[in-house]
Amino acid sequence: MNHGGLGDDAPVYVISVAAELSGLHPQTLRQYDRLGLVSPGRASGRGRRYSARDVQMLREVQRLSQEEGVNLAGIKRILELKREVAELRETVFHLHNELEAARSAVARRGAAAQGPPPGPGGELMPVRRTRVTVFGAAVQPDRRDEHREEPRDDLRNDRRDDPRRD
């Protein structure tokens, strides 16, 4: 419904013309505006100006009301959800494009890398091993000491012969 090279969102129709194009009474259009169903633009003198998209919306409100039997509160909710779905679709479209661009960048970076392709664990990086000495730290017992046997009783000093015992 694009007339005269103007976009569908250009507010060009006065209320009487929009009412005629939509098949509704001008008072009905005012009521829909008050309820927030279809909110037209405003002219400098505060008069309502409807766009081609507004006229399409008025027709959709009329169809939902008369053919589907939906009340005005239900119609308002349906229109809100339709707007939300349109916004979400636009967001998904942009996110999809960003994802594809990121995938392409990763693929280009991977193709430009030299050497064998990385294994299942990712890229291999050389690691230099170093030895660290810590001074003043508690010394852990050598594990070999844990498996040594205790000295036998016959090799120990016998306490009975201890001169300090008296």
Side-chain angles (χ1 to χ4, degrees):
M1 186 181 265
N2 191 346
H3 297 294
L6 298 174
D8 285 344
D9 292 324
V12 293
Y13 304 113
V14 295
I15 193 167
S16 59
V17 174
E20 188 175 326
L21 290 172
S22 64
L24 298 170
H25 192 276
Q27 193 60 37
T28 304
L29 274 63
R30 289 183 189 94
Q31 180 184 6
Y32 289 174
D33 184 14
R34 279 192 299 274
L35 295 173
L37 292 172
V38 179
S39 299
R42 297 285 181 169
S44 58
R46 301 294 300 152
R48 292 174 175 89
R49 295 290 186 267
Y50 291 84
S51 68
R53 191 174 315 277
D54 292 334
V55 172
Q56 289 173 342
M57 189 75 68
L58 290 167
R59 289 179 181 162
E60 177 68 6
V61 170
Q62 181 185 27
R63 185 191 70 76
L64 287 170
S65 176
Q66 292 178 356
E67 294 176 17
E68 302 294 329
V70 181
N71 65 18
L72 294 179
I75 292 171
K76 184 175 183 177
R77 184 69 179 137
I78 289 169
L79 296 177
E80 289 170 356
L81 291 172
K82 282 185 173 185
R83 273 188 228 109
E84 186 176 341
V85 166
E87 290 171 7
L88 290 172
R89 283 185 175 154
E90 186 176 346
T91 300
V92 167
F93 175 77
H94 291 299
L95 290 173
H96 177 74
N97 287 342
E98 286 181 30
L99 178 61
E100 289 303 315
R103 284 181 175 161
S104 296
V106 168
R108 284 191 306 273
R109 189 177 309 149
Q114 296 178 359
E123 293 184 11
L124 298 177
M125 308 257 321
V127 176
R128 191 174 81 190
R129 296 187 183 252
T130 60
R131 185 168 268 193
V132 177
T133 304
V134 179
F135 296 101
V139 178
Q140 295 292 327
D142 191 3
R143 292 194 183 267
R144 288 175 283 175
D145 292 341
E146 294 174 4
H147 300 291
R148 288 190 184 154
E149 292 182 23
E150 290 290 323
R152 295 189 321 213
D153 285 337
D154 59 329
L155 298 178
R156 290 186 187 169
N157 291 334
D158 192 3
R159 292 183 144 221
R160 288 173 286 176
D161 295 334
D162 191 356
R164 293 177 285 164
R165 188 161 186 233
D166 295 333

